[in-house]
Amino acid sequence: MDPYVIQMNGNSNLPSVLDVHVNIGGKNSKQEKGKGKKARWSVRPSDMANNTFNPIRTIVDNMKVKPNPHKTMIALSIGDPTVFGNLPTDPEVTQAMKDALDSGKYNGYAPSIGYLSSREEIASYYHCPEAPLEANDVILTSGCGQAIELCLAVLANPGQNILLPRPGFSLYRTLAESMGIEVKLYNLLPEKSWEIDLKQLKSLIDEKTACLIVNNPSNPCGSVFSKNHLQKILAVAARQCVPILADEIYGDMVFSDSKFEPLATLSSNVPILSCGGLAKRWLVPGWRLGWILIHDRKDIFGNEIRDGLVKLSQRILGPCTIVQGALKSILHRTPQEFYHNTLSFLKSNADLCYGALAAIPGLRPVRPSGAMYLMVEIEMEHFPEFENDVEFTERLVAEQSVHCLPATCFEYPNFFRVVITVPEVMMLEACSRIQEFCEKHYHCAEGSQEECDK
């Protein structure tokens, strides 16, 4: 019998009820019933889940040490400016949200890429002659994290590679490897205020390189690239025809002695996807509104990349509509004094922390120029009882109840990161405890006794 014949039971006359069976493989389906092994449950996580790895969570969760019960815990590890309550957002920002909620206009679904009116506001706010923007150049996302995820997903296929900074924000690797994308790490140079090692960067690029991620200002370094250095980065990308994902979530969060240069304003030749959001500059990371700005003046991305971003955005149907409704007021009614006061506080805390830690033997902080962080080198030869930065920071928690992230979390061993958003009194106390800890464990390196005796 033909294996795909549809059989009708009974005689050839049309029955009152059709009993139809699809016979596949020439065997009656009833004969198969009950045959073979008994079904067993076998539910396993997907490859994507198994390939998702967050180094910060893994390292921190494996730290079994308990803080000193006689000292209050001071967490210099959390990159959330709202934790201690000393950096509230501006009342105008809060009022904008209340007004949007009370209006009743933003309770339904929005387009997956965001309301047109909200995208127009972002385009207008970031538009400049050197890097013009229109609403169709803007994709609104659920935070800057999702913006980065969409950019990686639209630019790279499994088996291709992307170039990430070392030290760098751990989410880049987490997202890429979950998608089967290889990561290659280019070095930042602490002795040059964390500029990119451009020669080493160029050596990593091959025919499978899908994009270069540039994070400026930097998490975890607190560095801000000069215009000249950014132009050199762009020259490498232009020569090698590699598009750039610019993570600029800390854009404009720079101290008075530095200037933030949006990468797209410095080149019309290199296609750039710039990622930003409300989280840090407006101090509302939990509101989860980010964006992608598409800069493609030579039409290298063309419609394909734009259409791809739209398709990818449809997986979660866009960011919170109430925040979108508040966006116009947030952008235009937040007073300049709010931005100024935030940066003044961060600069003051950065200077305080840098000065205190620079005076401690065995530590070498790198002075930050923006964002909310600074990195500190541990001269491990002076702390021989600790094998690495993870052990150093574990013991710091156990003895002094001060928690700093070991820079192994950022692919950069024997440093630690300090978050500078804590209240000043806590920063002073933390630095005092770190000094006490280092004085207790410091040893003169072999051959340097003369220096220790000074």
Side-chain angles (χ1 to χ4, degrees):
M1 181 183 292
D2 189 305
Y4 298 102
V5 168
I6 296 180
Q7 295 179 300
M8 291 191 298
N9 291 353
N11 58 38
S12 60
N13 295 327
L14 189 65
S16 59
V17 179
L18 269 176
D19 184 10
V20 180
H21 302 278
V22 178
N23 188 322
I24 300 176
K27 295 180 180 179
N28 190 296
S29 60
K30 291 182 178 179
Q31 293 176 319
E32 293 296 308
K33 194 173 181 180
K35 281 193 174 183
K37 294 181 180 179
K38 182 180 179 181
R40 294 178 181 273
W41 288 106
S42 179
V43 183
R44 298 288 182 269
S46 67
D47 290 343
M48 185 176 189
N50 286 331
N51 291 335
T52 300
F53 168 79
N54 186 321
I56 293 180
R57 287 269 50 88
T58 301
I59 291 170
V60 171
D61 291 347
N62 285 332
M63 295 174 82
K64 305 300 183 185
V65 66
K66 294 181 179 179
N68 185 335
H70 304 294
K71 296 190 175 187
T72 304
M73 185 69 175
I74 301 177
L76 303 179
S77 56
I78 306 170
D80 181 347
T82 72
V83 167
F84 297 99
N86 60 311
L87 288 173
T89 191
D90 190 81
E92 289 285 0
V93 177
T94 307
Q95 189 60 49
M97 280 288 278
K98 292 177 180 178
D99 292 345
L101 182 62
D102 289 342
S103 75
K105 296 178 180 178
Y106 306 105
N107 296 332
Y109 289 121
S112 64
I113 58 174
Y115 289 120
L116 174 61
S117 59
S118 302
R119 291 185 288 117
E120 286 174 340
E121 292 298 336
I122 291 292
S124 173
Y125 191 81
Y126 288 101
H127 171 91
C128 62
E130 301 83 5
L133 287 167
E134 298 177 354
N136 66 353
D137 299 317
V138 179
I139 306 280
L140 297 184
T141 62
S142 182
C144 189
Q146 196 212 5
I148 293 167
E149 179 181 20
L150 295 186
C151 291
L152 291 179
V154 82
L155 292 176
N157 282 311
Q160 289 187 288
N161 64 72
I162 60 172
L163 308 180
L164 312 182
R166 176 173 52 199
F169 184 37
S170 62
L171 184 65
Y172 307 142
R173 177 187 281 275
T174 299
L175 292 173
E177 292 187 340
S178 73
M179 295 185 236
I181 301 165
E182 181 189 353
V183 302
K184 293 185 175 184
L185 303 174
Y186 63 82
N187 293 327
L188 306 182
L189 304 171
E191 68 274 15
K192 293 187 176 182
S193 299
W194 300 110
E195 286 189 345
I196 296 174
D197 183 339
L198 294 171
K199 184 177 180 180
Q200 187 249 352
L201 170 66
K202 285 185 277 189
S203 73
L204 298 175
I205 298 172
D206 60 24
E207 70 280 356
K208 291 187 177 181
T209 300
C211 79
L212 162 65
I213 294 184
V214 177
N215 177 209
N216 180 55
S218 166
N219 174 13
C221 302
S223 55
V224 180
F225 292 149
S226 68
K227 181 177 181 179
N228 179 257
H229 188 60
L230 289 170
Q231 288 171 330
K232 291 178 179 178
I233 297 167
L234 286 162
V236 172
R239 197 175 306 117
Q240 301 290 340
C241 297
V242 176
I244 291 179
L245 191 172
D247 180 357
E248 298 180 326
I249 185 65
Y250 294 99
D252 295 316
M253 290 188 75
V254 298
F255 305 150
S256 54
D257 49 356
S258 299
K259 182 183 178 184
F260 168 64
E261 303 276 358
L263 195 59
T265 63
L266 304 179
S267 173
S268 61
N269 298 319
V270 178
I272 297 169
L273 298 179
S274 173
C275 298
L278 292 180
K280 302 304 165 66
R281 192 177 187 213
W282 285 271
L283 305 176
V284 286
W287 290 11
R288 309 313 299 142
L289 185 73
W291 48 76
I292 302 167
L293 308 181
I294 305 169
H295 297 280
D296 186 31
R297 295 194 289 287
K298 296 294 185 182
D299 201 32
I300 295 166
F301 285 148
N303 289 330
E304 288 184 319
I305 295 298
R306 292 172 184 271
D307 291 346
L309 285 169
V310 171
K311 291 175 183 177
L312 290 166
S313 74
Q314 292 168 349
R315 293 187 301 172
I316 69 162
L317 300 179
C320 177
T321 53
I322 296 171
V323 187
Q324 291 185 60
L327 191 56
K328 180 177 181 178
S329 295
I330 290 172
L331 296 177
H332 297 291
R333 284 175 22 194
T334 303
Q336 288 300 313
E337 182 183 16
F338 166 75
Y339 306 126
H340 173 77
N341 290 344
T342 301
L343 290 176
S344 294
F345 170 81
L346 293 174
K347 174 73 161 63
S348 175
N349 247 16
D351 289 344
L352 185 159
C353 182
Y354 175 83
L357 298 185
I360 299 174
L363 298 184
R364 295 179 61 186
V366 181
R367 186 184 291 277
S369 299
M372 309 188 315
Y373 315 97
L374 66 82
M375 288 277 276
V376 184
E377 182 180 3
I378 310 164
E379 296 177 331
M380 296 304 299
E381 67 272 19
H382 292 299
F383 301 98
E385 63 191 284
F386 306 123
E387 188 174 330
N388 51 43
D389 56 308
V390 176
E391 287 190 7
F392 182 97
T393 53
E394 280 183 336
R395 286 285 290 279
L396 182 59
V397 171
E399 295 181 16
Q400 297 292 340
S401 295
V402 175
H403 188 198
C404 302
L405 270 189
T408 292
C409 294
F410 310 107
E411 318 269 3
Y412 212 79
N414 300 334
F415 278 69
F416 62 86
R417 187 191 74 173
V418 175
V419 176
I420 58 174
T421 58
V422 301
E424 181 179 307
V425 64
M426 291 180 69
M427 181 61 76
L428 286 167
E429 174 64 19
C431 289
S432 174
R433 293 187 197 177
I434 292 171
Q435 179 178 355
E436 181 181 328
F437 176 82
C438 289
E439 288 175 350
K440 175 182 176 181
H441 296 284
Y442 183 89
H443 289 78
C444 288
E446 189 175 338
S448 62
Q449 186 62 46
E450 182 180 336
E451 181 181 336
C452 290
D453 290 338
K454 290 181 180 179

